[in-house]
Amino acid sequence: MSKTLFPFFLLFFGFVKSQNITVDDTYTPAQLVQDVLVNNGCIQISNVSVSGGNFSNGENSFGYFNANGSALPFAEGVLLTTGKLSSAVGPNSNFSDDGTGMNWTGDSDLNTALGLSNTFNATVLEFDFISNTSQISFEYIFASEQYLSNPSPNQCSYTDGFAFLLKPVGGSSYQNLAVIPGTTTPVRVNTVRGNGTICPPANETYFDAFNTGNYPTSFDGQTKILTAEAAVTPGILYHIKLVIADEGNARYDSGIFLRAGSFIATKNLGPNRLIATGNPLCPSEILTVDATEIGATSYQWFENGIAIPGATNPTYTINHTGDFSVDITINANCTLTGSIQIEAAPTLNINQDLYVQCDTNFDGLDTFNLAAIQNTLFTSLPTGFQIAFFDSPTSTTPLATNFTTSIPYQQIIYARVTNIQNCYGNIPVTLKVNIFDKVFTTESVSLCSGNSITLSAPLGYTAYTWNTSPILNTSSILITAAGSYTVTITDANGCTNTKTFLVTSSEAATIIEVLVNDFEENLTAQIHVQGNGDYEYALDGGLFQTNPIFNLAEPGEYQITVNDRNGCGLSSISFFALSYPKFFTPNGDGFNERWRIENLDKKGLENSRIYIFDRYGKLLQQILASGDGWNGLYNGQMMPSSDYWFVMELTNGRTVKGHFSLKR
């Protein structure tokens, strides 16, 4: 271990000034116990002994100390160390590391109490006593050079041992009073340590500080003031042994500072009722404190150090915050003191216990932020109060901060103050989930080119917000362009839902052409259109169909109508389907007298040529498509009933061949 020495010139010019403790090792053991440590008439002391290091210069490892106006919390008292008493004197730039190589042994009772086997340099102060009351206590500070401010990792486990061992005289085993309050853990360097070094902190509440060079003792750190206490039987002879020793080796001294006059007989009035310890006085609770002590001749109660008039009974009733104490007179030489600190838990005023949210997936369930709810649950939550939420009054498992309800629409959970015992119980909190009353489907809308259209959201809601630029807040809007339009709809509960309109542009069709397979056995017409619409087709006023191909029963003139199913208009066109007659009857009755192909001129084919042959391939007649056709004569002679063939050379370059019948 190393310490930083202050430069001489600082000391010389007085820039650093501090007071150090003083020590005196000339006190007899009886004086240390009777006159310094005890010094009251409620405890009778006997059989005092002390042992420690046998230093060659006659110095002791125990004795009296005085704070000498320094920062040490105790004004005076008894000091037991594992080195020379004088080595404990500050400043902290000194290094207390005595007792090596002098055969200074440890202590077997300390080993047993702490489960050790390797203690050295034990200093022991022990005595017998009889108490007039049922409670004894004394105050102490543990200090050590092993509270290193800059340790290496292997030094984190270094720790000296000490114990305050108590048993009835003749008893078989000791009770160790030097423990962390509320536990059985012995107070040591590695069980009470602050943070700030590489060694892990432990029970920081009870650690005071790592000391700087101007501290009034030589020790590198110490605990806060701790109290050792025990219940005893009045009139019974007890033995107490105060022992401290180095562990592992004789290096790095430690010390126990015992406050002068602190070994007293006290009256235990029960645990303090504090918010910090979770047991304050609950609202409307009345606490009766009983100080009854056998042999007492009088009682006087105090509140905050001031005597309470008329409060002279063994019991006192408390219903509010304060520091209460009682003086119990046993005899002229013995007055006991008992004290209890009371804090009252405040009344918690509920600010809000109903929380409402809107569901977005229509199942009546939603996730609530319980941390945010905690902040608004009470009008004001006292500092240090810890709130948790549970799904039932008997549950012991807190709910997650982001809690998803499991009961649709409304669920009650329970808030509890978890660090205050038995004051508030379960506080019901209602989580309500509202849902929007309707599911909206996406609606497809057509907009005719050059026109406008009104998009209308469902009516009966409180607010509307469209995703337009600028944003519109009406239930309906007029649009002139295709696109996706979404309106956010808010209901009376503040819940929202959205409806989307997919607007597509549409227009009446432009008919490009009608393709007919003229002169085929099965006549068809296929309509070709152009336009940004959704079209259907009808032939000669018939039913509309989505297929643009029609079967034609016979040649002739037809009309096609094309309708935009989005309502943007109709388009129509007439066309001709061409075919040839399958027979003719030149019998003089005036009907079907000539074989002729009609309507060729409607398609600009009137100049086409037609050649007629008999069954043997003999050319009988050549005619123009625009002429009157064939009358069934060849060289003025009537041709017989039979099948005849033709070849038609169309002016569009196509050649059509077929046959027909002549019937008489």
Side-chain angles (χ1 to χ4, degrees), residues 362-384:
F362 300 94
D363 62 359
L365 306 176
D366 204 21
T367 299
F368 288 78
N369 184 337
L370 299 186
I373 289 177
Q374 174 183 319
N375 293 334
T376 59
L377 181 58
F378 300 104
T379 301
S380 59
L381 188 66
T383 301

Side-chain angles (χ1 to χ4, degrees), residues 35-352:
D35 299 338
V36 180
L37 184 59
V38 179
N39 197 24
N40 72 78
C42 295
I43 298 176
Q44 290 77 51
I45 302 299
S46 61
N47 198 26
V48 180
S49 66
V50 65
S51 63
N54 297 313
F55 295 100
S56 59
N57 61 358
E59 290 190 62
N60 292 321
S61 59
F62 56 87
Y64 167 84
F65 75 86
N66 190 290
N68 192 30
S70 70
L72 189 73
F74 294 159
E76 59 178 340
V78 176
L79 174 58
L80 310 179
T81 80
T82 62
K84 292 179 180 179
L85 183 68
S86 60
S87 294
V89 176
N92 185 240
S93 54
N94 296 330
F95 180 31
S96 180
D97 188 31
D98 303 322
T100 302
M102 54 185 292
N103 197 29
W104 186 3
T105 62
D107 183 83
S108 60
D109 290 331
L110 178 64
N111 290 344
T112 300
L114 301 185
L116 304 175
S117 60
N118 56 346
T119 57
F120 301 86
N121 297 9
T123 295
V124 180
L125 174 64
E126 52 189 327
F127 55 90
D128 296 337
F129 70 91
I130 296 175
S131 174
N132 288 348
T133 64
S134 58
Q135 187 83 10
I136 60 99
S137 68
F138 55 94
E139 295 176 325
Y140 68 96
I141 293 172
F142 171 60
S144 180
E145 290 281 36
Q146 289 184 334
Y147 277 122
L148 303 176
S149 59
N150 188 27
S152 58
N154 67 312
Q155 292 176 310
C156 291
S157 60
Y158 287 1
T159 178
D160 288 344
F162 74 98
F164 303 148
L165 305 175
L166 176 70
K167 67 177 180 179
V169 171
S172 59
S173 61
Y174 282 109
Q175 172 190 358
N176 182 19
L177 309 185
V179 293
I180 295 169
T183 74
T184 58
T185 302
V187 175
R188 307 176 71 184
V189 171
N190 59 358
T191 62
V192 179
R193 176 162 45 204
N195 59 24
T197 74
I198 64 172
C199 298
N203 297 296
E204 295 177 79
T205 301
Y206 305 108
F207 182 72
D208 187 6
F210 295 104
N211 296 325
T212 59
N214 61 353
Y215 196 71
T217 77
S218 64
F219 300 113
D220 273 5
Q222 72 277 327
T223 68
K224 292 180 179 179
I225 298 173
L226 299 174
T227 299
E229 57 187 351
V232 296
T233 302
I236 296 296
L237 183 63
Y238 285 86
H239 183 74
I240 189 165
K241 181 176 184 177
L242 313 179
V243 54
I244 184 170
D246 288 329
E247 179 187 350
N249 56 51
R251 304 297 307 279
Y252 297 96
D253 294 341
S254 298
I256 291 293
F257 292 84
L258 305 167
R259 187 200 291 269
S262 69
F263 195 98
I264 58 174
T266 59
K267 180 63 180 180
N268 186 359
L269 300 182
N272 291 329
R273 301 289 298 274
L274 306 176
I275 291 175
T277 54
N279 63 335
L281 204 64
C282 295
S284 303
E285 181 184 0
I286 296 175
L287 176 67
T288 298
V289 182
D290 189 352
T292 300
E293 186 68 38
I294 297 174
T297 59
S298 67
Y299 299 86
Q300 176 60 60
W301 290 88
F302 298 82
E303 182 175 350
N304 300 326
I306 300 174
I308 304 171
T312 57
N313 293 322
T315 60
Y316 185 72
T317 299
I318 302 172
N319 63 359
H320 59 278
T321 295
D323 291 336
F324 298 88
S325 61
V326 61
D327 284 350
I328 307 169
T329 300
I330 304 298
N331 54 51
N333 297 317
C334 178
T335 298
L336 305 178
T337 298
S339 64
I340 187 170
Q341 185 179 357
I342 303 296
E343 290 180 348
T347 299
L348 294 182
N349 297 314
I350 295 176
N351 174 59
Q352 180 182 348

Side-chain angles (χ1 to χ4, degrees), residues 374-441:
Q374 174 183 319
N375 293 334
T376 59
L377 181 58
F378 300 104
T379 301
S380 59
L381 188 66
T383 301
F385 274 44
Q386 299 171 12
I387 304 295
F389 295 88
F390 301 84
D391 62 4
S392 74
T394 57
S395 174
T396 58
T397 303
L399 299 175
T401 298
N402 292 316
F403 169 66
T404 301
T405 55
S406 58
I407 301 175
Y409 310 116
Q410 182 168 299
Q411 183 171 350
I412 295 177
I413 61 174
Y414 299 88
R416 280 183 225 148
V417 181
T418 56
N419 63 330
I420 304 298
Q421 304 168 9
N422 306 319
C423 279
Y424 301 108
N426 291 292
I427 301 164
V429 176
T430 300
L431 306 179
K432 185 177 181 182
V433 179
N434 289 326
I435 64 170
F436 202 92
D437 65 351
K438 187 175 181 180
V439 176
F440 298 123
T441 58

